[in-house]
Amino acid sequence: MTSTEITPEEKEQLEELYAGFAAAHMTPLWTQIGDLMPSSPRPAAVPALWRWSTLLPLAERAGELVPVGRGGERRAIALANPGLPGTPYATPTLWAAIQYLGPREEAPAHRHTQTAFRFVVDGEGVWTNVEGDPVAMRRGDLLLTPGMHFHEHHNTTDHPMAWLDGLDIPLVRQLDGGFFEFGPDELGTRETPVTSRNERLWGHPGLTPVGAPATPASPLKAYRWEHTDAALRAQLELEQEGQPGVVEPGHAVVRFTNPATAGDCLATIRCEMHRLRPGAHTATTRTAGSSVWQVFEGTGSVSVGDETYDVADGDVFAVPSWAPLTIRTDAGLDAFRFSDEPVFEALGLTRTSLEDASREDAQA
Amino acid sequence: MTSTEITPEEKEQLEELYAGFAAAHMTPLWTQIGDLMPSSPRPAAVPALWRWSTLLPLAERAGELVPVGRGGERRAIALANPGLPGTPYATPTLWAAIQYLGPREEAPAHRHTQTAFRFVVDGEGVWTNVEGDPVAMRRGDLLLTPGMHFHEHHNTTDHPMAWLDGLDIPLVRQLDGGFFEFGPDELGTRETPVTSRNERLWGHPGLTPVGAPATPASPLKAYRWEHTDAALRAQLELEQEGQPGVVEPGHAVVRFTNPATAGDCLATIRCEMHRLRPGAHTATTRTAGSSVWQVFEGTGSVSVGDETYDVADGDVFAVPSWAPLTIRTDAGLDAFRFSDEPVFEALGLTRTSLEDASREDAQA
Amino acid sequence: MTSTEITPEEKEQLEELYAGFAAAHMTPLWTQIGDLMPSSPRPAAVPALWRWSTLLPLAERAGELVPVGRGGERRAIALANPGLPGTPYATPTLWAAIQYLGPREEAPAHRHTQTAFRFVVDGEGVWTNVEGDPVAMRRGDLLLTPGMHFHEHHNTTDHPMAWLDGLDIPLVRQLDGGFFEFGPDELGTRETPVTSRNERLWGHPGLTPVGAPATPASPLKAYRWEHTDAALRAQLELEQEGQPGVVEPGHAVVRFTNPATAGDCLATIRCEMHRLRPGAHTATTRTAGSSVWQVFEGTGSVSVGDETYDVADGDVFAVPSWAPLTIRTDAGLDAFRFSDEPVFEALGLTRTSLEDASREDAQA
Amino acid sequence: MTSTEITPEEKEQLEELYAGFAAAHMTPLWTQIGDLMPSSPRPAAVPALWRWSTLLPLAERAGELVPVGRGGERRAIALANPGLPGTPYATPTLWAAIQYLGPREEAPAHRHTQTAFRFVVDGEGVWTNVEGDPVAMRRGDLLLTPGMHFHEHHNTTDHPMAWLDGLDIPLVRQLDGGFFEFGPDELGTRETPVTSRNERLWGHPGLTPVGAPATPASPLKAYRWEHTDAALRAQLELEQEGQPGVVEPGHAVVRFTNPATAGDCLATIRCEMHRLRPGAHTATTRTAGSSVWQVFEGTGSVSVGDETYDVADGDVFAVPSWAPLTIRTDAGLDAFRFSDEPVFEALGLTRTSLEDASREDAQA
């Protein structure tokens, strides 16, 4: 296929051949293989940062100007990766948005095959009713809305509330796998219990409620900051005591899991909370697949590919596939991370490297 | 094979044949099939009750007369099913014993393929060190010692402590699958932390510590009464609110599970805590496989096969395979149950019936 | 968000807000939700047909004009869905190509995370060496090249050979999960055994070779027409005898599976052979996810969405997600099908409907 | 518990304590631990050999004297391990019997939770109808009767036939897990097809019949000698070619597996065929769990524990748990093996050692 020297006649024959391909809706591999099958991922998505100090005022302004209700469904504004122009996607598989609900506002019920979570970087006062079970949303909490679960939101207070939405919209869109249904226009319940029913059944460590209905998705829909914080603190304390628990020096991680299967809390999205001790830094890691992080508390410096960002509470950044990532902190840092790793694991595509590509290690 | 009328000659020929079988170490099926393959289980084990008011004084007396230490290993006295004479087995698969540790006493380290748990019906002050991790034992707690985990016990107080030991000794003995090793004679640690390291890593609902070492057995070794009690209370409260959660009216059940797999907490033994609301009763249930129960708190009436027992705190009873079981209570009852159901499930032998044999239902 | 009547001032404020969004790389959900989350899949891919009588001459002409070798790697010409302009994809997840190897030609070794198979609609004489194991390619055979297996092809005859290549290139590209490596330029082996080593170990029904090396991918790399044909014939004969076996009247299906796991033969692609008895037709089916079919032998009429095609040996057609599909035949029809269903199953997105959308049935 | 020197008074007190234990149905661990929990298995079962030249004539004589029919059910004579007196068990978990069916005889239908197989060391002419599907029994074949499958046998010829029956009767008896039901007294079918329906659907390598009914047990019920022989021959030929495949030099093994799960063909019994090349010998192996072997063809010398047997066609020998096993052959040897390893694997009790105990290696 190396056509170093071709005659005019050959050129004409080739052009005719390629025109024949085009007419027949055919495309030769040999002209495209470098782009289609690069030696390592060349994502169109780029490292990107969205500052909370930018996101929140724009969401507030949208709260003043744009009503929430049936049709538009949610006052959610997506973080659009500059490398994926024309799409509202944070990465090729992950959607990240800031959602904003004004005082006493309500968002009506719907359900869809796309899987969703909410992570609350600040505030409280909203309940999300998941299949009729009212779930309080409070600072530091992770709340799940697995695929095809009806959900609606209502703000019970006189102040607004904003949070991070994460979904697999880009993945499901690419797969042409999405189904969507409206629920009733009226809210199913306006109860505001401190603890949701799913937590009362499933929120006890190592204890399975034998009489609870079986469900393919996680029966636990709320992971409270109180527990997440305690788990991270324990890992760092154990490290101080010389015991195992952290993933690397000064770096604690908990993964949010489905207590009925011990697998990821969502079928297509991995959710984790990371804590770096003051003065700690992570190894430089590459991972096949993309992720989005939101700083929960603290400050630090994040290097993604060739970019380096100083980050603080609420800042969101996207990490494209195989981009080297390093996080450093002087004062300590808590950060929420979500990624498409469950997809890579299910399809046998998992691969990570530490420090540098020479130590790259394929994992089955 | 129905030999209604046989001649003397035939009788002699048959006797010769059977003598030939015996000489060749052969046994015909047709003379034994009724015993070997009955239409439903005919266990040799019988319904049996051991009262705590009997068990505890005998254990205390053993504490005065019998030292604990290397060789005998543990001051544990097994509950021997009267239908299995000559064995120290509660059922054909399950071992149940009262173990007693005097003030300041220590039991040295060993490990074995047999799987063990401790359930504490009363008292506190003993720590069991599981693979070097000191685990406090307190009223209502379930503590695990999976197979091949080194373990040792030490009483740090001036009062004795007794508890229930459960193991799969009969099963492993029948399978000829047991291996046993002594550990050091000296205690590995005399620390007495309120919370063990395994709980600090794994005792948070739905949260997996990403950096924790992987292990085939449950990484969580302690299930605290505080959580068990809260989970049972929530199920009964949900029932009052008209929500699902209980297994039948007035009957709450939690199963102790391995948070790394969501399966049973032990490979061969299922552990559950049951709570009956005052005035409640269970359906009459038959289960293929045997179980042992210990009343934790409250009073009730238990029917096992043709036996009926009035039971109270600490009483232990054995339920043979397929024996109908009914529990009734006026004042309310909490009871711990362990069974060989994981074995039956793994081997495709699970079967239960509710109310009566006519509604018997084989389950895959 | 329904802005039925807005004042010029409001319009200006909204424009300012949207400009703010754009500057901050943000996109509101409410303007896009209908496209992002439709009530059912609205694939950009369209029903498409490529006739073998078009494909083969163009491939032959490419054989005359374009050499095969390092760089371009393979003389494969992709079937490009007209609904996905600018891409060489048959569907959003699946790549289908005709590959052509001239007399005595060789294609050098490489490997990649993308998973591949070859299906031979006609001809023979090429061996594909998969990890050094030479696998004959003959009419009706399915040959696997799972991810990261080195593979090379060589034509040992004086006649050319063409076949269908299927890969998950679009999926892996979208996920940014692809890695690619060149192997040696020289062929590893030119042996031409009738039966490959993997078949000699794994090609015996229900028999696992205990000493064979374990591998995450299917250890069996070749599925021979002789077996496929016999299995389909048996299903239709059993139907004639009144016995179960066919999926619907006159419609036999075998799925190619990994004998070490019993799951799909490839992690991301399902492969099946379908046989319709003369006069038979399928139900009209919709499936979430896309597929590509190649007629192996026979003739029929295929309806995909609003299109209807008369098809014959070698013709290839693409079925977009959720497009209704019906196949009818007078003379009988054998057709090979591959799809992205393993992806949908792994991610909990499986959904099918029979006959019409009113009987649509979500499957967990 | 080390009672080096005790006073008469102490002795009396201890005797009183032990009497109290006995009266309360309690047994102290410390007097029994050595037997209950030995450092490695001490099976009561012993190495044992049953010669085909003894088994067959006794079975033939039984055929003359004892009718087959409802009640006795089967003319099967069990091989009773001399170490397990009073039981008809080959090992603590496995039943092995020679079954004999005279010319034109029939054995009526029944089903039971116990799992069964037949292995045919010689002869043919009997069909076993498994859930109404007539399965021919021929030399070298393995035929399955999973739990709760109705089955009946009929000899269609004028000559008798004998074969080996294997079941998990001892295991299920110990677990009290057995259920048994009679079927109709009259044979369901007297058809004698060469190939059973289950083979026509499932007997094609790597091909799953999509329309076949799902079943928890293996859908394939017959493994034919033709395939087993070819698979073993291929392994030894690959060894000659320097390719992997054998488990050790000169030793080929195939495991009979469920094609719908790729797991063992039976839930509680592993079945394998072993072939030793002339002049070969196995390593000395210990396995936790017991097995029974039947020589299919050839001669050899078998060492089990302290016993050594010269064996030939049809000879059966039992290998107790953890007994060292070595097989040697001058002329070559084919042997069928069945074991309780699926039980050990399911319960986490698997352990093997090679050559000698010092190289013992616990396996998870």
Side-chain angles (χ1 to χ4, degrees), chain C residues 96-355:
Chain C
I98 179 170
Q99 187 168 159
Y100 184 90
L101 209 55
R104 306 292 166 189
E105 273 191 332
E106 297 179 354
H110 61 217
R111 66 175 182 175
H112 39 71
T113 49
Q114 289 87 353
T115 279
F117 71 81
R118 335 274 159 215
F119 176 71
V120 184
V121 73
D122 198 19
E124 64 180 42
V126 168
W127 268 252
T128 177
N129 301 335
V130 181
E131 291 283 322
D133 185 9
V135 181
M137 299 175 64
R138 289 184 295 252
R139 182 172 181 277
D141 294 347
L142 173 71
L143 303 318
L144 305 186
T145 313
M148 294 314 284
H149 283 57
F150 274 115
H151 53 286
E152 57 193 13
H153 312 313
H154 58 121
N155 187 339
T156 67
T157 73
D158 292 327
H159 53 264
M161 183 175 171
W163 62 84
L164 183 77
D165 272 355
L167 288 96
D168 57 5
I169 290 175
L171 174 70
V172 174
R173 183 72 190 79
Q174 175 70 12
L175 294 174
D176 290 325
F179 293 81
F180 181 100
E181 293 171 32
F182 295 113
D185 288 344
E186 264 305 296
L187 219 57
T189 171
R190 288 190 177 80
E191 290 175 274
T192 57
V194 171
T195 309
S196 60
R197 298 197 300 268
N198 68 80
E199 292 168 88
R200 293 162 70 192
L201 284 177
W202 284 96
H204 312 278
L207 300 183
T208 292
V210 177
T215 145
S218 176
L220 184 63
K221 303 297 191 297
Y223 300 78
R224 299 298 175 190
W225 176 244
E226 165 194 2
H227 300 302
T228 306
D229 180 45
L232 293 168
R233 194 168 52 237
Q235 287 184 25
L236 291 177
E237 287 169 355
L238 283 163
E239 183 191 23
Q240 298 282 48
E241 300 166 22
Q243 298 292 347
V246 292
V247 298
E248 59 184 334
H251 184 186
V253 187
V254 291
R255 185 169 298 159
F256 299 92
T257 50
N258 175 341
T261 65
D264 278 292
C265 63
L266 296 168
T268 52
I269 305 177
R270 173 159 298 168
C271 296
E272 293 173 345
M273 184 66 76
H274 291 242
R275 173 169 292 173
L276 285 176
R277 180 193 295 287
H281 65 90
T282 69
T284 300
T285 309
R286 293 171 186 251
T287 304
S290 57
S291 60
V292 176
W293 297 66
Q294 183 173 34
V295 175
F296 177 62
E297 189 168 11
T299 55
S301 162
V302 174
S303 297
V304 188
D306 297 332
E307 306 290 327
T308 296
Y309 312 117
D310 284 325
V311 294
D313 296 23
D315 291 352
V316 179
F317 57 95
V319 183
S321 184
W322 214 236
L325 170 69
T326 320
I327 306 179
R328 295 174 182 79
T329 180
D330 290 329
L333 185 74
D334 283 2
F336 175 78
R337 172 185 186 261
F338 66 105
S339 78
D340 55 14
E341 282 165 301
V343 179
F344 276 68
E345 288 188 0
L347 306 184
L349 294 169
T350 302
R351 189 184 285 227
T352 61
S353 88
L354 285 186
E355 292 297 354

Side-chain angles (χ1 to χ4, degrees), chain A residues 270-330:
Chain A
R270 174 158 295 167
C271 297
E272 293 174 343
M273 183 67 75
H274 290 243
R275 174 168 291 173
L276 285 177
R277 180 192 296 288
H281 65 90
T282 69
T284 300
T285 309
R286 292 171 187 251
T287 304
S290 57
S291 60
V292 177
W293 296 66
Q294 183 174 35
V295 176
F296 177 62
E297 190 169 9
T299 56
S301 163
V302 174
S303 297
V304 188
D306 297 334
E307 305 290 325
T308 297
Y309 314 116
D310 285 324
V311 294
D313 296 24
D315 291 352
V316 178
F317 57 93
V319 182
S321 184
W322 213 238
L325 170 70
T326 320
I327 307 179
R328 295 174 183 80
T329 180
D330 290 330

Side-chain angles (χ1 to χ4, degrees), chain B residues 289-313:
Chain B
S290 58
S291 60
V292 177
W293 297 65
Q294 183 173 36
V295 176
F296 177 61
E297 190 168 12
T299 56
S301 164
V302 173
S303 295
V304 187
D306 297 333
E307 304 290 326
T308 296
Y309 312 116
D310 286 324
V311 293
D313 297 25

Side-chain angles (χ1 to χ4, degrees), chain A residues 108-167:
Chain A
H110 62 216
R111 67 175 182 176
H112 39 71
T113 48
Q114 291 85 355
T115 281
F117 71 80
R118 334 279 160 207
F119 176 70
V120 183
V121 73
D122 199 17
E124 63 180 44
V126 168
W127 267 253
T128 177
N129 300 335
V130 180
E131 290 284 321
D133 184 8
V135 181
M137 299 176 63
R138 290 183 295 253
R139 183 174 181 276
D141 294 347
L142 173 70
L143 302 321
L144 305 185
T145 313
M148 293 315 283
H149 283 57
F150 273 115
H151 54 286
E152 58 195 13
H153 312 314
H154 57 122
N155 186 339
T156 68
T157 73
D158 292 326
H159 53 263
M161 185 175 170
W163 63 85
L164 183 76
D165 273 356
L167 288 96

Side-chain angles (χ1 to χ4, degrees), chain A residues 20 30 35 94 167 245 259 297 315 354 356:
Chain A
W30 55 87
D35 286 335
L94 299 172
L167 288 96
E297 190 169 9
D315 291 352
L354 286 185
D356 58 38

Side-chain angles (χ1 to χ4, degrees), chain D residues 262-280:
Chain D
D264 278 291
C265 62
L266 296 168
T268 51
I269 305 177
R270 173 159 297 167
C271 296
E272 294 174 343
M273 184 68 76
H274 292 242
R275 174 169 292 173
L276 285 177
R277 181 192 295 286

Side-chain angles (χ1 to χ4, degrees), chain D residues 207-223:
Chain D
L207 300 183
T208 291
V210 177
T215 145
S218 177
L220 184 63
K221 303 295 192 297
Y223 301 79

Side-chain angles (χ1 to χ4, degrees), chain D residues 216-264:
Chain D
S218 177
L220 184 63
K221 303 295 192 297
Y223 301 79
R224 299 298 175 191
W225 176 243
E226 165 194 2
H227 300 302
T228 305
D229 180 45
L232 293 169
R233 194 169 51 237
Q235 288 184 24
L236 291 177
E237 287 170 355
L238 284 163
E239 183 191 23
Q240 298 282 47
E241 299 166 22
Q243 299 292 347
V246 292
V247 298
E248 60 184 335
H251 184 186
V253 187
V254 291
R255 185 168 300 159
F256 300 93
T257 49
N258 175 342
T261 65
D264 278 291

